[in-house]
Amino acid sequence: VEVVESGGGSVQAGRSLTLSCTANGPYSAYCMAWYRQAPGKDREEVAVLRSDRSTHYADSVKGRFTISQRYDARNNLYLEMYQLKPEDSAVYYCAADARDTAYCGAYRFWGQGTQVAVSS
């Protein structure tokens, strides 16, 4: 499975960005999530789209970020990021695994990451 992210960039605080992710592989649908890692920090979970289409957000992004997936394309994932803050600066990673299997949530497949830089 190949996971590819796009959409990162450099913005000023208060602005918005949307990240996109596509998982290409043998499965018809994927469990997917966004993680991020800032320099010197551990990778953290940002937002999760579960197999039942419920969502979970880190407290730090709740109310500002929205994770979504098209109903007709269960291999893609988006992260709409609003009211960006300098502390949101990080490399953002998309993680995926086969939906409707025991691996859902294991996230065996990761993208290379896309950089988000927010200046004050």
Side-chain angles (χ1 to χ4, degrees):
V1 177
E2 181 185 31
V3 179
V4 180
E5 307 101 335
S6 62
S10 298
V11 296
Q12 289 188 320
R15 303 298 292 270
S16 305
L17 277 176
T18 296
L19 306 182
S20 301
C21 172
T22 300
N24 295 308
Y27 306 106
S28 60
Y30 294 83
C31 291
M32 302 178 80
W34 288 100
Y35 285 75
R36 67 185 181 187
Q37 187 167 21
K41 295 188 177 181
D42 293 333
R43 186 163 56 189
E44 64 170 342
E45 179 184 279
V46 176
V48 175
L49 181 65
R50 300 190 182 102
S51 58
D52 63 358
R53 303 194 68 79
S54 64
T55 57
H56 175 78
Y57 296 93
D59 288 342
S60 58
V61 307
K62 207 171 289 184
R64 299 189 298 120
F65 289 14
T66 300
I67 189 172
S68 64
Q69 184 181 66
R70 285 171 47 187
Y71 279 89
D72 61 344
R74 301 294 181 93
N75 67 330
N76 64 70
L77 191 71
Y78 303 96
L79 186 67
E80 297 170 82
M81 304 185 293
Y82 301 98
Q83 301 171 35
L84 283 162
K85 303 176 180 180
E87 50 265 42
D88 294 319
S89 298
V91 177
Y92 283 70
Y93 297 92
C94 178
D97 216 311
R99 186 172 176 266
D100 299 327
T101 72
Y103 291 109
C104 180
Y107 302 131
R108 293 174 294 165
F109 311 110
W110 292 76
Q112 293 298 308
T114 184
Q115 179 75 52
V116 172
V118 184
S119 58
S120 58

